[in-house]
Amino acid sequence: MPKPANYTDEEILLILIWSIPLRLTKGQIGRLLGVKSAGQKHWRERLERLGEKKLLSIEKLDAGDLFFGSPILKYYLTEENLEAIWSHYFTHYDKRHGLVNDPFLTPFSAGIWNVTSSPEFSKLVGSKFNYHFLSSKNAANPIKPSERIASLSREKLWKILDAVLSICWKTEAYRRKPVLLDTLTAGQNKAYATLLSLYEAQIKAHPADYQKFTVLFEKNFKYYL
């Protein structure tokens, strides 16, 4: 039985992150969450509030006389939205909840940076190259969000958000420091190999954006590399 339509903003944003680069109506977002009543007015109001915070973007499509002249609204994420999401939820994350540990690359995330320490990380998340990488990752590994969301605790949600948003620069770090692979399990090594293949394909497809990304990366990790 699907959960009631009281999903948190973080869950809605995670659905959109998993759906990049798609543009979705509120009904489509609801179906991905497993909600049948996502066409209700309060859903539109919630998405508008997220838009006002720059956490998502809204596209208005003129439908002419259809739907009594009302435009079709589609919701999606841009690089700027990803930067705002990271800044809003992680750079200013409430320390009472503790640090977020990545469930995939924990040995890496545990000792290299504090996600609340620098607003510069949001620029990495919002880079065009990271956006391209997330898009290719989603296309290559589609998921069933409603099944995943239903099983997430709030703590697990934060971990997933961190893992998804930061996977690009972690992959770059592992490329530069292969010794980090020694900390991964066999399953993590297999996942990393898949990610690396997608990552290197994006480097070839978007060399200029990758170059800009590495400038940001080296600035943030200059004491580590």
Side-chain angles (χ1 to χ4, degrees), residues 66-137:
L66 294 175
F67 311 111
F68 304 99
S70 297
I72 296 173
L73 299 179
K74 290 197 170 185
Y75 307 89
Y76 63 100
L77 297 180
T78 65
E79 305 95 291
E80 291 80 8
N81 297 139
L82 292 175
E83 183 176 342
I85 290 169
W86 181 268
S87 179
H88 184 82
Y89 289 110
F90 291 93
T91 302
H92 305 294
Y93 187 46
D94 188 346
K95 293 182 180 180
R96 291 180 301 172
H97 295 94
L99 296 178
V100 177
N101 290 316
D102 185 332
F104 170 51
L105 298 176
T106 298
F108 175 68
S109 64
I112 294 180
W113 83 88
N114 175 341
V115 297
T116 66
S117 67
S118 172
E120 285 294 316
F121 285 120
S122 63
K123 291 183 172 59
L124 274 170
V125 174
S127 72
K128 283 189 177 180
F129 184 74
N130 191 32
Y131 183 86
H132 294 315
F133 183 44
L134 283 174
S135 296
S136 66
K137 179 174 172 289

Side-chain angles (χ1 to χ4, degrees), residues 100-206:
V100 177
N101 290 316
D102 185 332
F104 170 51
L105 298 176
T106 298
F108 175 68
S109 64
I112 294 180
W113 83 88
N114 175 341
V115 297
T116 66
S117 67
S118 172
E120 285 294 316
F121 285 120
S122 63
K123 291 183 172 59
L124 274 170
V125 174
S127 72
K128 283 189 177 180
F129 184 74
N130 191 32
Y131 183 86
H132 294 315
F133 183 44
L134 283 174
S135 296
S136 66
K137 179 174 172 289
N138 292 344
N141 185 31
I143 62 170
K144 295 182 179 179
S146 58
E147 295 178 6
R148 291 287 302 277
I149 287 287
S151 65
L152 292 180
S153 65
R154 186 166 182 82
E155 180 184 13
K156 186 72 171 177
L157 174 66
W158 283 106
K159 291 179 179 180
I160 295 284
L161 273 170
D162 173 45
V164 172
L165 289 171
S166 63
I167 198 66
C168 189
W169 76 73
K170 291 174 186 175
T171 304
E172 179 67 24
Y174 273 66
R175 289 177 75 246
R176 295 183 183 220
K177 282 198 133 180
V179 68
L180 290 170
L181 295 173
D182 295 339
T183 66
L184 300 183
T185 65
Q188 289 172 331
N189 262 302
K190 185 177 180 180
Y192 170 72
T194 301
L195 285 171
L196 184 60
S197 176
L198 291 169
Y199 191 84
E200 292 180 341
Q202 292 309 301
I203 292 175
K204 292 179 181 178
H206 306 282

Side-chain angles (χ1 to χ4, degrees), residues 13-33:
L13 292 172
L14 180 57
I15 290 294
L16 286 169
I17 292 169
W18 274 335
S19 302
I20 290 172
L22 299 182
R23 284 163 160 74
L24 305 172
T25 64
K26 62 181 183 295
Q28 289 170 324
I29 294 172
R31 283 192 289 277
L32 286 175
L33 284 164

Side-chain angles (χ1 to χ4, degrees), residues 54-74:
K54 309 300 183 184
L55 300 177
L56 60 78
S57 294
I58 303 174
E59 180 180 57
K60 290 187 178 182
L61 301 176
D62 187 357
D65 294 332
L66 294 175
F67 311 111
F68 304 99
S70 297
I72 296 173
L73 299 179
K74 290 197 170 185

